[in-house]
Amino acid sequence: MPDELVVPPPAEFAAQANVGADEYARAAADPQAWWAEQARRLQWDEPFTTVFDGSTLPTAQWFTGGKLNVAVNCVDRHVAAGRGDKVALHWEGEPGDSRTITYAQLQDEVCRLANALEELGVGHGDRVVLYLPVLPETIVTTMACARIGAVVSLVFGGFSAEALRFRVEDTGAKLLVCTDGQFRRGNAVAVKGAADAAVEGLDHVEHVLVLRRTGDLTPDVPWTPGRDVWWHELVDRQPAEHVAPSFDAENPLFIIYTSGTTGKPKGLVHTSGGYLTHTSWSHWAVFDVKDDDVYWCQADLAWVTAHSYEMYGPLSNGVTQVIYEGSPLTPHPGRHFEVIEKYGVTIYYTAPTLVRTFMKHGPELPAGFDLSSLRLLGSVGEAINPEAWLWLHRNVGGGRCPIVDTWWQSETGAAVVAPLPGVTPLKPGSGTVPLPGLSATVVDEAGNEVAPGEQGVLVITKPWPGMARTVWRDHARFVTSYWEPYAAQGFYLAGDAATKDADGYVWIGGRIDDVLNVSGHRLSSIELESALVSHPRVAEAAVVGAPDATTGQRIVAFVILRGDGSSEVAAELREHVAQQIGPVAKPRDVVVVPDLPKTRSGKIMRRLMADMTAGRGGGDVTSLQDETALSAVETAWAQYVQSR
Ligand code: ATP
Ligand code: MG
């Protein structure tokens, strides 16, 4: 395990950090009282009477008796406090257009849309699905739904009609909000037709609200009179005043579908008071946000990452944000660095898949831009390979920026295992330790904590405010997926394999289903992949276990090589892994591939490759980013098997 390297917080960073070292002990002394203190960072219209009610577990309730409006917390209260002129959003469009929106302007827009939604008959408890790219209006709509108590569900704008339809149908949405078209890697693509196909024959969808984005570039927008409504015709004429009602702390706020790495996506339901408390506090503490920061979370708004750390978290903290519509590589691979330079971004929250992509271009790529405004970096979505961590730290962070590696899930609502950047010494590749107020550990099948360095599964041992309350319309799946395996202990099963080191640091080893068992040795996919990626020839790697008559499973490594050159690297890579981890970890098969199948959020879909090596098929592929990546791997595999 590459845990020798410890990066302590720089002294200057620690001196100015929002949160100090005593926070862990303060929270541990009385977690509920401590969470109540964090809840009071928010504006409550009626104070809560109970902090935590476990009588309905696993659907815990937090801050019952309390009433609040999430949108008021995210927008209005900053205006009321005299910060209306502060920039809320610097929006950068893919073609290079841009807009700047203050908190006062955001409040006007949210109120207008709230009035518009009410005119369309959308009210408390109704579901609204968003099929939108990263636009200010996407955030406005999310906030307007919160304002009127409608339950929002954001669907990635790049999803197919079929994937969208599943979510519209599953939520039983009354309204779908979409654009005429979207910019995708430099092209204007019409999407209204896909939206129409997704709602066709679904009687619960009363209206489709259409925002103009690509205009003349995508003419002849298909139109169903009576159902379809242009945003500019409905919203622009609405008054900018709207009286926000108060809702119970447990009022449903949004439904988020998991990214589908392990199977069919689950629609998790998050509620208001507890979710916002966890999200708002953790955003303030982990990202150390200050009044003069320019914060940028690069995730698409439809991912949970963006819900918590690009919408509800930063807005509730009154932060200035950059949001970017397009692909990170359009029109050139340095686009993100250009945006950082343009806006003087101080905090940049990214994903390992993107870091590995930048690495393929070499350190010259970030070196071409002035990144001196950066003071903190973040990573989320997958375990970050130590190699990628060090590259990011050196070449983007100039060696001075702490990296907060945040482990969390759609289910957890906000970060669970993550450092406090002014306090926690970092170890590249580990999310470090559970945040104050959160209790997570690594246990064996019987629920006992494993010894340091031993593989087990990650569990959260006590309920926490941001936890999902159910799977939409499938409470049984909520119980069986997460709570049944450790029902006796009351632990939440996260589904990730992990180890803890002697300092209590958590190391994620991949999904439970992705753990390999070779001749009785349990090996983590992430550890094997990190060893491969640390070889200079390897840009990306995915490791799966294929069935094997003698060893149970054998290790199959799919690798993308850096640059061109010979693909005769198998022997070298086997030796390299043996040196890094041990002879048992040597991949039996090394298959060079041009691409890897990933989800739309950039996660490697190992299960599809495992199915392929086992001769199984038929797994859920609806969350695949690019089906051609899977076919390319299938072709490479077939050729490899033939030549073996
Ligand atoms: P599904 O549950 O449908 O398979 P998913 O798990 O990919 O989809 P998300 O909730 O978006 O959907 O992802 C959460 C998972 O991402 C975690 O369980 C973990 O495996 C991985 N993950 C996220 N952040 C980190 C991190 N910082 N380090 C390691 N793994 C991470
Ligand atoms: Mg998951």
Side-chain angles (χ1 to χ4, degrees), residues 217-492:
L217 298 172
T218 54
D220 307 322
V221 177
W223 205 256
T224 303
R227 185 197 68 185
D228 296 351
V229 182
W230 278 113
W231 176 292
H232 54 271
E233 287 176 6
L234 173 73
V235 182
D236 294 358
R237 62 174 166 78
Q238 302 291 332
E241 289 79 41
H242 178 269
V243 180
S246 305
F247 297 104
D248 287 340
E250 285 296 341
N251 194 53
L253 183 62
F254 64 88
I255 300 170
I256 177 118
Y257 289 85
T258 57
S259 62
T261 330
T262 57
K264 187 170 162 244
K266 307 173 200 75
L268 295 152
V269 180
H270 283 282
T271 59
S272 303
Y275 169 78
L276 196 63
T277 296
H278 183 186
T279 296
S280 186
W281 175 79
S282 59
H283 181 258
W284 175 79
V286 173
F287 295 97
D288 192 53
V289 289
K290 303 285 195 296
D291 196 35
D292 57 355
D293 271 314
V294 180
Y295 167 89
W296 182 19
C297 167
Q298 63 86 39
D300 186 273
L301 290 168
W303 309 130
V304 74
T305 301
H307 281 63
S308 304
Y309 297 132
E310 198 172 338
M311 296 198 285
Y312 302 107
L315 291 176
S316 69
N317 289 321
V319 165
T320 294
Q321 293 193 85
V322 168
I323 58 171
Y324 171 57
E325 178 185 36
S327 138
L329 308 178
T330 306
H332 58 82
R335 188 68 199 273
H336 272 204
F337 304 120
E338 185 179 74
V339 170
I340 291 172
E341 180 180 289
K342 174 173 175 184
Y343 294 101
V345 169
T346 57
I347 304 169
Y348 173 61
Y349 190 25
T350 187
T353 180
L354 194 53
V355 177
R356 291 192 300 264
T357 303
F358 293 147
M359 286 170 79
K360 287 184 211 164
H361 295 273
E364 311 80 70
L365 183 69
F369 298 87
D370 178 4
L371 307 179
S372 60
S373 56
L374 289 170
R375 66 180 194 92
L376 182 68
L377 299 167
S379 173
V380 67
E382 289 177 280
I384 184 165
N385 320 111
E387 201 69 17
W389 195 103
L390 292 167
W391 192 93
L392 180 69
H393 190 253
R394 189 181 311 127
N395 298 303
V396 179
R400 71 185 174 277
C401 305
I403 299 178
V404 287
D405 178 0
T406 57
W407 179 89
W408 57 294
Q409 311 176 298
S410 307
E411 295 86 345
T412 69
V416 175
V417 178
L420 295 172
V423 177
T424 322
L426 307 175
K427 297 187 185 186
S430 167
T432 74
V433 296
L435 284 170
L438 289 145
S439 319
T441 192
V442 181
V443 300
D444 62 18
E445 274 179 25
N448 301 312
E449 255 186 49
V450 297
E454 249 174 60
Q455 224 184 108
V457 298
L458 185 62
V459 292
I460 305 179
T461 58
K462 290 200 187 88
W464 66 103
M467 62 202 273
R469 304 307 198 241
T470 188
V471 170
W472 178 255
R473 287 186 178 161
D474 197 354
H475 192 66
R477 195 169 177 208
F478 182 68
V479 176
T480 50
S481 306
Y482 309 115
W483 299 97
E484 228 162 61
Y486 291 100
Q489 297 84 353
F491 294 167
Y492 163 84

Side-chain angles (χ1 to χ4, degrees), residues 513-560:
D513 297 342
D514 293 342
V515 171
L516 289 83
N517 194 331
V518 183
S519 307
H521 299 275
R522 286 160 62 71
L523 297 164
S524 98
S525 51
I526 300 290
E527 197 177 358
L528 293 162
E529 289 163 11
S530 289
L532 288 161
V533 172
S534 74
H535 188 280
R537 292 286 317 278
V538 178
E540 286 197 72
V543 168
V544 301
D548 186 273
T550 30
T551 54
Q553 279 189 319
R554 66 174 203 280
I555 303 171
V556 184
F558 297 91
V559 295
I560 303 179

Side-chain angles (χ1 to χ4, degrees), residues 86-91 99-106 109 136:
K86 180 168 178 177
V87 172
L89 302 172
H90 288 294
W91 171 78
R99 280 157 68 189
T100 288
I101 294 163
T102 65
Y103 273 94
Q105 289 167 332
L106 187 61
E109 294 307 313

